[in-house]
Amino acid sequence: MEKQLKSEKSNMTTITEFVLLGFSDIPNSQWILFGIFLVIYLTILMCNSIIILITRIDPVLQTPMYFFLNNFSFFEICYVTVIVPRMLMDLLTQKGNISLVACAAQMCFFLLFGSSECLLLTAMAYDRYVAICNPLLYPLVMNHKVCVQLAIASWVSGVPVVIRQICQIFSLPFCGSNRINHFFCDIPPVLKLACGDTFPNEIAIYLTSLVFLMAPLLLIVISYKKIIANILKISSASGKAKAFSTCSSHLTVVVLFYGTAIITYWQPKTNQSEGTGKVISLFYTILIPTLNPIIYTLRNKDIMVALRKQLSHLLR
């Protein structure tokens, strides 16, 4: 028995790098995908940069709601930049080699920005709750100091948890296949390549997602339950429409963001094929960040007015 274990250990090759397979299953479409994802990435950068610029320079948009939107747009740029440039390089070179350190770094920043977005969306829901349910106290409760504190908390709260999670995952031995059937280093496909018992890591991931995914979602649901109850008390139809319009964009983003995240990290592994997981990942890493600035601009009269005003100044 001891000899058998020794021979098995000797046959194991310790992995020093991974290979991201990406979209290698459709080799004839690599250049088309490169062009599509490049256009999408540039669109995300441009649209979110415009929102950041507009919410900073326009006096009308110097409110807590747009302060949080400013931060959210910055998160979106960082979140997408962790994934897309690397994916574009792999499509261009048709090589997916990535070192363990680079893979760990990509996963770390992806989780950091993802958890920060969850917390920031919760802060935005709280802002809307105070604005609609306690409008007289809104300037006092949501003062600049409180907004900055909530933004900083969104930035830093996930750092120790995510770093610990990454250390636990990459302290596992990786042997045998080093091919990740994904376009970036996400937790589920990387864990599949780990040798030994990954059950403690899976439990840790579920517990972390409870804290950074389900708990914020619960707070958002509670906030919107009270928001909707207050909106229904408004007598005039125009008043109801105006109140709902101030939070409809945020609610749409929450549904899209949390919907795909929950499907990815809470669906049992046996129920999700690698191809399905890859498609869902495209939604929350590329498609939804593309839609978010469109949702926030087209459905927001203040931002549209500010954009027209700035464009008219530029065209003079």
Side-chain angles (χ1 to χ4, degrees):
M1 183 70 178
E2 192 174 333
K3 287 182 180 178
Q4 186 180 351
L5 286 170
K6 284 182 179 178
S7 64
E8 285 178 2
K9 286 181 181 179
S10 63
N11 288 333
M12 286 183 180
T13 305
T14 303
I15 292 173
T16 57
E17 69 172 12
F18 293 121
V19 178
L20 292 166
L21 296 181
F23 304 96
S24 57
D25 51 335
I26 43 174
N28 296 330
S29 304
Q30 300 288 300
W31 286 105
I32 296 171
L33 290 173
F34 176 83
I36 292 170
F37 292 142
L38 178 61
V39 170
I40 289 174
Y41 179 57
L42 294 175
T43 303
I44 292 170
L45 292 183
M46 183 183 69
C47 291
N48 282 291
S49 297
I50 289 171
I51 290 175
I52 292 171
L53 184 65
I54 289 292
T55 53
R56 280 195 176 275
I57 64 176
D58 195 284
V60 178
L61 304 182
Q62 303 307 305
T63 63
M65 183 172 75
Y66 296 110
F67 170 81
F68 290 124
L69 180 56
N70 185 301
N71 277 266
F72 185 75
S73 295
F74 184 72
F75 274 134
E76 289 281 83
I77 291 172
C78 296
Y79 178 76
V80 174
T81 300
V82 171
I83 306 298
V84 181
R86 170 81 211 192
M87 183 175 66
L88 290 173
M89 186 183 74
D90 291 341
L91 285 168
L92 190 63
T93 61
Q94 297 191 17
K95 294 177 183 178
N97 300 62
I98 184 170
S99 67
L100 262 68
V101 174
C103 186
Q106 186 184 54
M107 186 186 293
C108 180
F109 284 112
F110 170 72
L111 293 176
L112 278 175
F113 291 125
S115 61
S116 296
E117 282 201 14
C118 289
L119 296 174
L120 190 65
L121 285 170
T122 309
M124 294 168 81
Y126 177 67
D127 170 70
R128 292 298 83 208
Y129 161 74
V130 177
I132 293 172
C133 299
N134 297 290
L136 297 177
L137 294 175
Y138 183 68
L140 181 65
V141 175
M142 296 304 295
N143 58 63
H144 183 68
K145 184 180 177 181
V146 170
C147 293
V148 171
Q149 288 173 341
L150 288 171
I152 292 172
S154 301
W155 274 97
V156 303
S157 295
V159 173
V161 179
V162 169
I163 290 175
R164 184 181 176 186
Q165 194 79 261
I166 297 300
C167 290
Q168 287 178 341
I169 292 171
F170 284 87
S171 63
L172 292 168
F174 292 95
C175 50
S177 175
N178 68 336
R179 300 165 77 81
I180 301 174
N181 190 12
H182 216 300
F183 55 87
F184 75 102
C185 288
D186 201 3
I187 292 176
V190 170
L191 271 183
K192 285 182 181 180
L193 303 182
C195 301
D197 185 18
T198 60
F199 182 72
N201 300 87
E202 291 170 15
I203 293 297
I205 291 162
Y206 276 108
L207 291 175
T208 303
S209 62
L210 274 174
V211 174
F212 289 100
L213 200 63
M214 301 309 292
L217 180 60
L218 180 62
L219 291 172
I220 291 170
V221 170
I222 292 169
S223 297
Y224 272 103
K225 183 181 177 182
K226 293 183 178 182
I227 287 169
I228 291 168
N230 272 269
I231 290 174
L232 292 175
K233 292 177 184 177
I234 299 172
S235 55
S236 67
S238 60
K240 287 180 181 179
K242 185 179 178 181
F244 187 73
S245 68
T246 62
C247 54
S248 59
S249 298
H250 175 259
L251 189 57
T252 305
V253 170
V254 166
V255 171
L256 291 172
F257 183 84
Y258 276 95
T260 52
I262 289 168
I263 290 171
T264 301
Y265 292 101
W266 277 72
Q267 187 177 359
K269 287 182 179 180
T270 52
N271 293 351
Q272 190 183 95
S273 66
E274 290 180 337
T276 304
K278 206 184 293 185
V279 171
I280 293 170
S281 296
L282 277 175
F283 270 88
Y284 68 78
T285 56
I286 297 176
L287 182 61
I288 293 174
T290 309
L291 295 175
N292 286 347
I294 297 171
I295 292 168
Y296 273 114
T297 52
L298 294 181
R299 303 190 66 174
N300 190 299
K301 291 181 180 178
D302 291 337
I303 290 182
M304 291 304 294
V305 169
L307 277 171
R308 290 192 194 100
K309 186 166 68 176
Q310 294 304 321
L311 284 171
S312 65
H313 284 317
L314 289 172
L315 295 173
R316 281 180 185 175

